[in-house]
């Protein structure tokens, strides 16, 4: 019971971690090529947020820094 919600939360946490890490690697560490993978990760995070409607307020908050994750912006 509750497996799907826990799964989507884990997927979301991982996607947000990857977004932050890839941005850091390219922008801060100067290692090119990472940002081209972000659209796929944005899609994963968006689907995870979509499966967790109780986190809509969190999604809006995150979208202040990652506009690609704005609710409905897929």
């Amino acid at each position: 019971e509750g497996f799907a919600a826990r799964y989507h939360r884990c997927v979301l946490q991982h996607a947000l971690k990857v977004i932050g890490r890839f941005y850091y690697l390219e922008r801060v560490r100067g290692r090119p090529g990472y940002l081209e993978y972000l659209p796929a990760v944005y899609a994963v995070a968006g689907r995870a947020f979509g499966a967790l409607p109780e986190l809509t307020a969190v999604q809006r908050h995150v979208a202040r820094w990652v506009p690609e994750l704005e609710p409905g912006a897929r």
Side-chain angles (χ1 to χ4, degrees):
E1 188 174 320
F3 175 79
R6 287 193 310 270
Y7 173 79
H8 289 297
R9 285 174 185 258
C10 287
V11 167
L12 178 59
Q13 185 275 333
H14 187 269
L16 294 175
K17 180 180 176 181
V18 169
I19 290 168
R21 185 67 177 165
F22 282 10
Y23 187 84
Y24 170 80
L25 286 170
E26 180 138 338
R27 299 291 185 182
V28 176
R29 301 291 292 182
R31 299 175 74 184
Y34 284 93
L35 295 184
E36 67 188 60
Y37 295 104
L38 285 182
V41 184
Y42 294 146
V44 170
R47 286 192 302 272
F49 270 126
L52 298 163
E54 68 274 16
L55 295 182
T56 301
V58 173
Q59 184 177 8
R60 287 191 188 109
H61 185 73
V62 171
R64 292 170 55 196
W65 291 275
V66 186
E68 295 84 355
L69 295 181
E70 184 70 37
R74 289 185 207 173

